[in-house]
Amino acid sequence: MGITDDSASGKDQVLSPWQIEALIAKGQSIVIVDQKVLRVDTWLPYHPGGHKPIQHFIGKDATNEFMVMHSAETRQQIDRYQIGRIKGRWRNFVPPIQGGQIWEKGEKTPQTDVDGLNNIHEHHACLEGLPQLSHERNTPEELAFLNAQTKEEISLTLDQYPPLDTPTQSNIIEKYRLLYEQIHSEGLYECHYTAYLWELGRCGLLFAIMLFFLHIEWYCISAIFLGWFWSQLVFSAHDAAHMAITHDFFIDNLIGMIIAAPIGGLSLGWWKRTHNVHHLVTNSPEHDPDNQHLPFLAVNHRFLGSLFSTYHERLMPYTALAKRLVPYQAYLYYPLLMFGRFNLYVQSWLYLAYGQGPRKGLAWWHRYFEIVGNLIFWAWFGYGIVYRSLPTAGIRFLYVLISHAVTMPLHVQFTLSHFAMSTADLGPGESFPQRMLRTTMDVDCPEWLDWVHGGLQFQAIHHLFPRVPRHNLRRVQKLVLAFCREVGIPYALYGFVGGNRKVVGSLAEVGRQAAILGECRRVVAGRIRRPHRH
């Protein structure tokens, strides 16, 4: 199919779905933003958030996601990658990284057969498009059980949320963009810097108290205040990583890296690499790295079937260790999170050692800054406090353990907003705002406790508008509530205790399913070992 008669050459040429699919089939990275067809292959090595987020939008309209994740300056630069435009509403392809089959131009396929797609009832399409599990590691009985669980999850989800037909989802997108404009017009993207003066004062006080108790040799109390100091700092690092403080790429990243590396011993670059993917494919077992915690936790039954992680680019096997731990994960959840910070150290150093961040563009120097910063951290904490200021090996061990264990509520806050929410894949027809509200919950708390939660209690709001400064999220919540009522999307809001109860209950249910599968395996193994009688 050629270019339409009313098209022009170059950037103004109108490209058909078949032409765009042919470009993708040749290995080109094609994304749609504001009706513009962008070829972003040359941008991939420079993207500060890594190449994975872009890969999840190849063949898709990324207008909403691009709008809320990037600054106005970045949005103005996309024209350099434009190779054409589209007419009308774009029907998303399934990106190759998510298993989409992309074909050369001229072959009629499910991706470009628009007439056929329009005649498919989206609910049935979702029920048939189940994720592929490892047939090598699962028996037919196990696959049947897991697929039945997936179908039930999708069916229940579809019953609770607006239908996926084009008019309904288009209306949600239209209302969402009006909401975005309203938030801008009310000045809610403007940061109140005085709020960060209070943050700085609170963190400084916690650090001073830690030093005081260290000086008078009350080591356990000192360790507790050090852990609280780290926890409070994370909130500001999170804000800076989303460029929600100054909205300036250099300044916000510098603030975030100073907090993360020399003060916290972590890598902001590693966090951004995983977190950007998390924001775009939230709660997807196959794609969201924040959900992939085997062998210790399986937040969804699909992890019991050895899924392939597109983020880590490897199979996540349901190993013998996982089979022993997952049935009891509801009891292990809080103890495991007490060691969460140690995992962050490991992931940060792996990211820096292997140079997994961008090596070109504005962020080329971040890796070296963070390596030096982490060495500074281990100099003041590892050598200055743990080795020089503590008298014995036993006290050193206890100090490190306590200072890290008291950060556990922070890790609970990270997981609370997602672990009990929907993980179903409803296909590329679901709008961005509906997907964010379906996969994320908010935690209700009085305003005077906002400093304890650090803005993470507004995760659903934050996922809709990641660059809104944290201290404005409570006002945005009221606007989002009105939006949800207007478009008919349920807004998940739980108290802190109720949210924890829901998460633990969800983990217990997956643990129960793991126990059922374990019993099935024992029965099948018994049949195999039992000699046949003739």
Side-chain angles (χ1 to χ4, degrees):
M1 180 176 179
I3 299 173
T4 57
D5 294 336
D6 62 343
S7 66
S9 60
K11 293 184 177 181
D12 291 326
Q13 64 179 327
V14 177
L15 299 178
S16 71
W18 286 271
Q19 290 174 302
I20 292 173
E21 187 172 21
L23 294 175
I24 297 173
K26 294 176 181 177
Q28 297 183 20
S29 301
I30 307 295
V31 180
I32 313 297
V33 176
D34 287 329
Q35 302 292 105
K36 300 172 183 178
V37 180
L38 309 178
R39 181 167 55 207
V40 295
D41 300 86
T42 56
W43 173 241
L44 288 175
Y46 297 88
H47 187 227
H51 62 283
K52 294 288 184 181
I54 296 176
Q55 288 181 323
H56 282 288
F57 283 91
I58 292 177
K60 297 179 70 175
D61 186 333
T63 301
N64 297 312
E65 293 85 347
F66 188 77
M67 173 181 70
V68 298
M69 294 287 288
H70 296 87
S71 66
E73 292 74 20
T74 301
R75 297 199 299 271
Q76 292 170 359
Q77 296 175 12
I78 64 171
D79 288 351
R80 70 179 68 178
Y81 303 104
Q82 184 179 351
I83 61 171
R85 60 186 177 89
I86 61 168
K87 293 186 68 175
R89 185 180 186 273
W90 178 256
R91 180 172 284 274
N92 289 328
F93 295 166
V94 177
I97 193 174
Q98 296 180 9
Q101 298 296 315
I102 306 295
W103 301 78
E104 291 282 358
K105 176 182 172 184
E107 297 187 54
K108 197 161 186 175
T109 72
Q111 294 271 28
T112 55
D113 184 4
V114 178
D115 293 332
L117 277 172
N118 282 331
N119 292 326
I120 294 176
H121 194 283
E122 281 86 354
H123 289 202
H124 293 297
C126 289
L127 291 175
E128 293 303 322
L130 299 178
Q132 292 299 310
L133 302 173
S134 173
H135 290 267
E136 296 179 0
R137 292 178 174 268
N138 296 277
T139 66
E141 293 84 1
E142 292 169 352
L143 289 171
F145 173 79
L146 295 173
N147 285 338
Q149 296 295 318
T150 302
K151 288 184 177 182
E152 181 181 0
E153 179 189 22
I154 292 174
S155 181
L156 291 173
T157 301
L158 292 170
D159 289 340
Q160 297 175 20
Y161 288 86
L164 302 178
D165 60 88
T166 299
T168 300
Q169 295 300 312
S170 295
N171 177 63
I172 292 173
I173 291 173
E174 180 182 353
K175 301 293 185 184
Y176 173 70
R177 292 179 182 175
L178 290 174
L179 176 60
Y180 173 79
E181 295 299 330
Q182 181 180 358
I183 290 172
H184 258 290
S185 66
E186 292 192 13
L188 295 174
Y189 270 87
E190 297 175 8
C191 182
H192 303 296
Y193 295 117
T194 53
Y196 284 100
L197 291 178
W198 288 106
E199 300 278 346
L200 180 62
R202 184 165 56 248
C203 290
L205 178 62
L206 290 171
F207 194 78
I209 294 173
M210 178 274 294
L211 290 177
F212 171 75
F213 282 112
L214 182 67
H215 177 70
I216 66 173
E217 300 181 356
W218 288 28
Y219 299 123
C220 290
I221 304 298
S222 173
I224 290 172
F225 276 94
L226 179 58
W228 287 347
F229 166 74
W230 283 331
S231 295
Q232 285 293 309
L233 276 179
V234 164
F235 303 141
S236 295
H238 176 259
D239 297 345
H242 280 289
M243 291 193 300
I245 300 178
T246 69
H247 300 302
D248 181 272
F249 178 83
F250 175 82
I251 297 175
D252 276 358
N253 274 279
L254 185 61
I255 292 171
M257 287 189 295
I258 290 174
I259 294 172
I263 301 178
L266 306 175
S267 166
L268 189 78
W270 163 78
W271 180 86
K272 289 179 67 174
R273 185 174 186 259
T274 62
H275 197 68
N276 286 339
V277 175
H278 162 72
H279 264 265
L280 299 173
V281 286
T282 308
N283 254 25
S284 170
E286 297 82 11
H287 313 303
D288 183 356
D290 284 6
N291 263 13
Q292 298 171 351
H293 303 290
L294 284 178
F296 302 105
L297 296 172
V299 301
N300 179 271
H301 65 272
R302 300 208 305 266
F303 287 105
L304 310 181
S306 298
L307 285 183
F308 183 85
S309 167
T310 60
Y311 179 84
H312 296 290
E313 297 182 350
R314 61 177 176 82
L315 186 71
M316 300 192 66
Y318 188 54
T319 61
L321 179 59
K323 292 172 185 176
R324 289 182 175 274
L325 294 178
V326 170
Y328 306 100
Q329 63 180 358
Y331 304 99
L332 298 173
Y333 172 59
Y334 295 111
L336 284 171
L337 293 186
M338 294 176 69
F339 299 92
R341 189 172 179 85
F342 295 105
N343 177 57
L344 302 186
Y345 291 144
V346 173
Q347 298 303 323
S348 293
W349 274 109
L350 288 175
Y351 170 84
L352 295 172
Y354 287 105
Q356 295 175 337
R359 302 188 181 188
K360 301 179 180 179
L362 295 175
W364 70 267
W365 57 278
H366 290 185
R367 178 193 181 197
Y368 306 102
F369 183 92
E370 291 197 306
I371 288 175
V372 173
N374 273 274
L375 293 176
I376 292 173
F377 170 81
W378 287 107
W380 75 260
F381 172 67
Y383 179 74
I385 290 184
V386 175
Y387 182 74
R388 290 296 303 272
S389 302
L390 302 176
T392 66
I395 291 177
R396 290 168 188 155
F397 174 80
L398 192 62
Y399 191 94
V400 170
L401 186 64
I402 292 175
S403 63
H404 288 63
V406 297
T407 65
M408 183 265 284
L410 176 66
H411 296 281
V412 171
Q413 188 79 64
F414 285 147
T415 59
L416 185 61
S417 296
H418 300 292
F419 272 18
M421 296 301 291
S422 171
T423 62
D425 181 5
L426 301 187
E430 185 180 28
S431 64
F432 170 72
Q434 178 168 315
R435 187 169 66 252
M436 293 301 102
L437 289 164
R438 176 174 61 82
T439 57
T440 312
M441 78 160 72
D442 275 355
V443 176
D444 193 22
C445 76
E447 188 171 355
W448 63 272
L449 270 179
D450 282 353
W451 68 274
V452 175
H453 295 276
L456 299 182
Q457 75 273 35
F458 299 118
Q459 276 294 290
I461 314 300
H462 170 67
H463 270 251
L464 290 174
F465 305 104
R467 296 178 63 251
V468 169
R470 177 194 352 149
H471 305 96
N472 295 335
L473 291 177
R474 186 169 286 277
R475 165 58 185 156
V476 175
Q477 184 184 47
K478 297 178 181 178
L479 301 178
V480 170
L481 279 168
F483 163 77
C484 289
R485 286 193 293 266
E486 186 175 4
V487 299
I489 298 179
Y491 173 56
L493 181 65
Y494 293 85
F496 186 75
V497 174
N500 273 268
R501 187 180 295 116
K502 186 171 176 63
V503 167
V504 172
S506 178
L507 292 173
E509 174 60 22
V510 178
R512 185 186 67 83
Q513 294 167 350
I516 292 173
L517 276 179
E519 184 61 30
C520 289
R521 291 187 181 98
R522 284 189 288 271
V523 171
V524 171
R527 290 175 180 172
I528 294 175
R529 289 194 299 267
R530 188 181 301 122
H532 294 281
R533 295 182 179 180
H534 298 282

